[in-house]
Amino acid sequence: MSVNRRTFLQGTAGAIGLAMAQGALSKIVYAQGAAGTLRVAIAKPAGNLDPQSHYAIWAIQDLMFEPLVKYGKGGQIEPCLATDWKIEDGGKTLHLTLREGVTFQDGTKFDAAACKWNLERWMGIDQFSWMNCSKHFQSLDVVDDYHVTLHFKEPVLALMQELSYTRPTRFLSPKSVGADGKFKEPVGTGPWRQISADDTQSVFEHHEGYWGELPSYERLEAKVIPDARSRVAALRAEELDLIGGFWIAPLTPEEGKQLEAAGFNVVVDPGNVTLVMAYNPDRAEALKDPQVRKAVSIGIDRAAISKVLYHGYAKPAGNMFSGALPYAGTQSDAPVRDAAAASALLEKAGWTGSPIRSKNGKPLTLELVVSPDAVPGSRVIAEVIQSEMKEIGIDLVIRSVDHASKHTDMLEQKYDLGFFLTYGAPYDPFGSIVGLCLSTFHNDVEGKLVTDPVNLDPLINAAMAATGDQIQPTIQKVYDWLRDNDAIAPLVYVPSIWAHSKRLHGFSSPVTEYDMPYENILLAE
């Protein structure tokens, strides 16, 4: 339930009484330094906050830097620094009306000149060609102080969605760079300004000149606690108010259940990130056969993984993207485990014998690479799949690696089977489709979920070039190809889990995993 200041103050007498009682208790508990301060856990230091870099925690950048438009629930595009927009010329021209009365945290006015300066830091530059609005950028005209027009060489698919991203699209003060043009300090138009940051925490206070409504509390401390168990202990010890979020300070389903049992408020959002298993037929000859890939897929009990390992917080996945995302395509039910059918497929593919099947004297052994650092809980999921594969005659070897090695191994394709996470809103579906599946796009971090230059690339390129009513049917062809060829195995839609103290009221999960949930929160003091 979302509670803003007005509804909180207009609550029932009983609710007010409860709040007063909680407040009285909180005055005792939080008297030393926490009054008016929201204390949030982050798993690592915030990092370089330049919106045009790719190293910082997204949610910390979200506190200070604002976009032209925001990504709302269900992919609805909402005004932010742009109050109105109009797309013309078949999608090649964008007219923007900018919000008046906005200043950066250093007092610099946000206007068309500041907008132009920011957009030209990344639009049309090769480094950012992974975004269509940068790839197809042609020119920008300043019409007057609060109107600009952007011209593109080609129609831009999901143009407004791209402009809602956390980076590189958000706006910083032209005075926040040095004489060499390089980023110097984080100064945005958002409701929070950074007053200090080190390896232990980042501290923020109100931007008093903010154009919108400021949070009811005056200070936000993002405390760096890398270890998940230490974060849970800090919440229990009332040293933190809020922990969770997939990319901020993740909670495992087990920890969520434990905190729920201990009386903490646990909020679970279905999320919009999918855990997907990749096949690497370039390394494992057996996986070239679609019958083997399908056997592996239907040999996995997704419902049990969702129920037991995610404690019912997750949902089995039948698609690359959940229906929570726009253009997610026709939703199919998750495959139901069928060991007999999986065994029959392997027999038909020529893999026979027991307990481990073989073909031409070679055992059916596959290596699954996991990284619990990168995907929490992935080792346990892998062990369940290992047991299920054994039942159908596949020898599954699990290799655990650290976060850094996971990226290296995926890039160099040192795996037969591997876990991938889709990017989630607002980047999806197009971000993951291009970043993880288009062979010609250079992905230097995650590697590729699946590629097929001959058959899949043309479908993706057609989807990326589609406009208007053609977007849905063209991207559906990508999804159909992935399904018809058993090219990937979606496993579960990963939930977003948060836990907070009773001191905190009005919490709701952020719309995307890249946002910091600071709005509509009230603190009992």
Side-chain angles (χ1 to χ4, degrees):
M1 176 182 175
S2 177
V3 182
N4 59 32
R5 175 183 288 210
R6 177 172 297 176
T7 55
F8 184 79
L9 294 177
Q10 290 178 345
T12 64
I16 292 173
L18 176 60
M20 291 175 65
Q22 290 172 332
L25 176 61
S26 299
K27 282 181 180 176
I28 299 171
V29 174
Y30 299 102
Q32 295 182 344
T37 301
L38 177 66
R39 301 164 303 173
V40 184
I42 53 177
K44 61 181 182 179
N48 180 350
L49 294 172
D50 184 349
Q52 277 78 54
S53 74
H54 292 281
Y55 302 104
I57 295 177
W58 289 282
I60 295 299
Q61 291 174 310
D62 179 60
L63 293 170
M64 291 175 288
F65 303 115
E66 293 184 301
L68 288 166
V69 291
K70 283 188 172 182
Y71 185 94
K73 285 190 178 296
Q76 188 72 29
I77 299 300
E78 302 172 351
C80 190
L81 292 179
T83 57
D84 195 17
W85 52 92
K86 188 175 183 180
I87 299 174
E88 293 183 328
D89 193 22
K92 294 197 288 187
T93 301
L94 171 65
H95 302 283
L96 290 168
T97 300
L98 305 180
R99 186 178 297 279
E100 298 186 34
V102 177
T103 59
F104 291 96
Q105 293 145 8
D106 60 5
T108 302
K109 185 168 68 173
F110 172 76
D111 57 11
C115 178
K116 181 176 188 291
W117 181 85
N118 269 273
L119 294 179
E120 290 183 346
R121 286 195 84 209
W122 61 273
M123 274 197 171
I125 296 176
D126 285 347
Q127 177 187 352
F128 304 104
S129 62
W130 57 277
M131 293 176 66
N132 277 323
C133 62
S134 179
K135 179 180 178 181
H136 298 314
F137 176 71
Q138 184 172 58
S139 62
L140 185 155
D141 298 330
V142 173
V143 179
D144 59 34
D145 283 352
Y146 292 100
H147 292 86
V148 297
T149 299
L150 281 72
H151 302 281
F152 301 97
K153 290 174 280 190
E154 301 289 340
V156 178
L157 176 66
L159 172 59
M160 303 312 293
Q161 187 174 332
E162 285 195 344
L163 294 177
S164 74
Y165 290 1
T166 305
R167 58 194 185 211
T169 63
R170 301 214 177 183
F171 289 77
L172 74 159
S173 169
K175 295 180 182 176
S176 63
V177 301
D180 56 0
K182 292 184 179 178
F183 176 78
K184 188 172 62 177
E185 55 186 343
V187 182
T189 61
W192 296 99
R193 66 182 182 88
Q194 180 177 284
I195 61 172
S196 67
D198 56 30
D199 287 344
T200 64
Q201 66 175 357
S202 294
V203 180
F204 304 88
E205 289 184 347
H206 280 174
H207 166 205
E208 295 298 342
Y210 184 56
W211 59 270
E213 184 177 357
L214 286 167
S216 59
Y217 49 96
E218 298 175 351
R219 184 181 169 98
L220 189 150
E221 294 176 357
K223 297 181 178 293
V224 181
I225 306 178
D227 178 64
R229 287 175 297 182
S230 298
R231 293 195 290 270
V232 171
L235 182 70
R236 287 176 176 269
E238 297 169 335
E239 295 167 356
L240 287 173
D241 301 305
L242 178 63
I243 59 176
F246 202 77
W247 304 118
I248 302 176
L251 265 175
T252 65
E254 179 110 20
E255 291 163 345
K257 281 293 179 187
Q258 290 171 354
L259 288 169
E260 202 173 344
F264 286 87
N265 294 296
V266 175
V267 178
V268 181
D269 187 278
N272 44 55
V273 172
T274 309
L275 176 64
V276 185
M277 192 164 73
Y279 305 112
N280 183 10
D282 290 338
R283 186 178 193 241
E285 184 70 22
L287 294 174
K288 292 185 186 298
D289 189 335
Q291 296 177 106
V292 176
R293 299 197 296 268
K294 188 174 185 66
V296 171
S297 180
I298 65 174
I300 297 172
D301 192 339
R302 293 164 175 78
I305 291 173
S306 302
K307 183 177 180 181
V308 178
L309 300 185
Y310 282 91
H311 294 274
Y313 289 151
K315 291 184 178 178
N319 307 275
M320 186 167 175
F321 304 109
S322 81
L325 291 167
Y327 302 115
T330 303
Q331 295 293 290
S332 303
D333 292 336
V336 176
R337 184 171 194 254
D338 189 335
S343 296
L345 281 169
L346 293 175
E347 290 281 340
K348 190 176 177 184
W351 294 95
T352 59
S354 67
I356 300 301
R357 297 174 182 274
S358 62
K359 184 177 181 181
N360 300 327
K362 185 178 180 181
L364 185 47
T365 299
L366 298 172
E367 182 189 67
L368 172 59
V369 175
V370 300
S371 171
D373 294 341
V375 183
S378 56
R379 174 77 198 192
V380 180
I381 296 172
E383 289 172 352
V384 170
I385 294 175
Q386 182 182 48
S387 175
E388 293 171 342
M389 292 300 103
K390 188 175 181 181
E391 291 179 22
I392 62 173
I394 297 177
D395 175 28
L396 188 68
V397 177
I398 301 170
R399 180 164 62 89
S400 284
V401 297
D402 61 24
H403 200 156
S405 299
K406 185 256 184 186
H407 287 300
T408 303
D409 284 4
M410 291 299 163
L411 280 173
E412 298 177 358
Q413 292 193 299
K414 294 179 179 176
Y415 64 94
D416 298 332
L417 301 168
F419 290 147
F420 279 75
L421 292 166
T422 57
Y423 298 161
Y427 296 91
D428 280 340
F430 308 107
S432 291
I433 288 291
V434 172
L436 300 179
C437 304
L438 183 64
S439 70
T440 54
F441 179 80
H442 297 293
N443 176 345
D444 296 330
V445 180
E446 287 90 3
K448 294 293 184 180
L449 174 60
V450 59
T451 58
D452 186 326
V454 175
N455 299 298
L456 183 56
D457 277 10
L459 298 177
I460 295 175
N461 287 328
M464 297 303 291
T467 58
D469 295 341
Q470 290 306 304
I471 297 174
Q472 184 68 54
T474 51
I475 199 167
Q476 182 64 47
K477 292 181 180 177
V478 175
Y479 302 141
D480 291 345
W481 187 91
L482 293 173
R483 185 195 62 242
D484 294 344
N485 291 279
D486 288 292
I488 60 174
L491 299 178
V492 295
Y493 302 124
V494 181
S496 177
I497 306 172
W498 296 85
H500 64 81
S501 69
K502 294 188 183 303
R503 178 188 185 230
L504 191 152
H505 301 266
F507 174 84
S508 59
S509 297
V511 175
T512 83
E513 296 287 356
Y514 304 92
D515 301 335
M516 180 67 84
Y518 62 83
E519 296 177 318
N520 301 319
I521 287 176
L522 292 171
L523 296 176
E525 302 293 357

